[in-house]
Amino acid sequence: MGRILAIDYGHKRVGLAVTDPLQLIATPLETIHSQDLLTYIKTLHAKEPLAALVIGMPKTLLNEATDSTSAVVGVVRRLRKDFPDVPVHEIDERYTSRMAHAAMLAGGLSKKDRRDKATVDRVSATLILQSFLESR
């Protein structure tokens, strides 16, 4: 079994999370610049083949596209083209930022750390991945 990589895509930053090799536990990985995403995944996939990619698909509360949806759709197309042997799954990411803030608060992170958008992106990616794991 390979690891599953989750992506919380944003115009500036991308939060990443990964599973353990048995695909049981979702762990925050890091936050990178959105322009570095494909290079980062290619490097990671070369070191240790990925079993799947999971990307959060932004939607409004009414299940409509947001201003970020088209960018994510473009990333999904590129991932499927560049990694034809790796399944790419889309997961509804509504409420992940709010749940990430709640999880960080419950985890005892300081106010300063909770304001760090890179931390929020990593935790959001972890929540997206955990949601995917639970849905299987």
Side-chain angles (χ1 to χ4, degrees):
M1 262 194 212
R3 295 177 189 266
I4 300 172
L5 179 70
I7 303 164
D8 180 31
Y9 186 83
H11 293 292
K12 294 180 184 176
R13 287 176 318 278
V14 178
L16 300 170
V18 69
T19 64
D20 60 302
L22 297 176
Q23 301 178 2
L24 300 173
I25 301 169
T27 306
L29 188 55
E30 63 181 293
T31 303
I32 60 172
H33 193 279
S34 60
Q35 293 176 338
D36 301 330
L37 178 62
L38 292 173
T39 304
Y40 184 91
I41 296 173
K42 285 176 185 175
T43 303
L44 185 65
H45 188 55
K47 287 180 191 172
E48 187 175 353
L50 297 168
L53 297 168
V54 177
I55 188 163
M57 187 58 66
K59 301 276 186 173
T60 66
L61 295 177
L62 299 174
N63 203 26
E64 297 169 346
T66 70
D67 56 343
S68 300
T69 304
S70 62
V72 174
V73 168
V75 171
V76 169
R77 277 195 207 117
R78 185 68 195 264
L79 290 170
R80 288 186 173 138
K81 179 183 172 209
D82 289 1
F83 304 96
D85 58 326
V86 180
V88 179
H89 304 279
E90 301 169 22
I91 295 290
D92 184 346
E93 73 166 20
R94 281 180 283 188
Y95 305 114
T96 55
S97 291
R98 189 173 297 156
M99 290 181 345
H101 281 287
M104 292 184 329
L105 182 63
L109 279 173
S110 69
K111 190 173 189 175
K112 179 183 174 191
D113 289 337
R114 290 192 312 264
R115 274 196 231 142
D116 180 16
K117 292 181 180 181
T119 302
V120 174
D121 291 339
R122 281 191 304 275
V123 173
S124 292
T126 306
L127 291 169
I128 289 167
L129 184 52
Q130 190 63 43
S131 173
F132 173 75
L133 292 173
E134 290 171 1
S135 71
R136 295 194 303 171

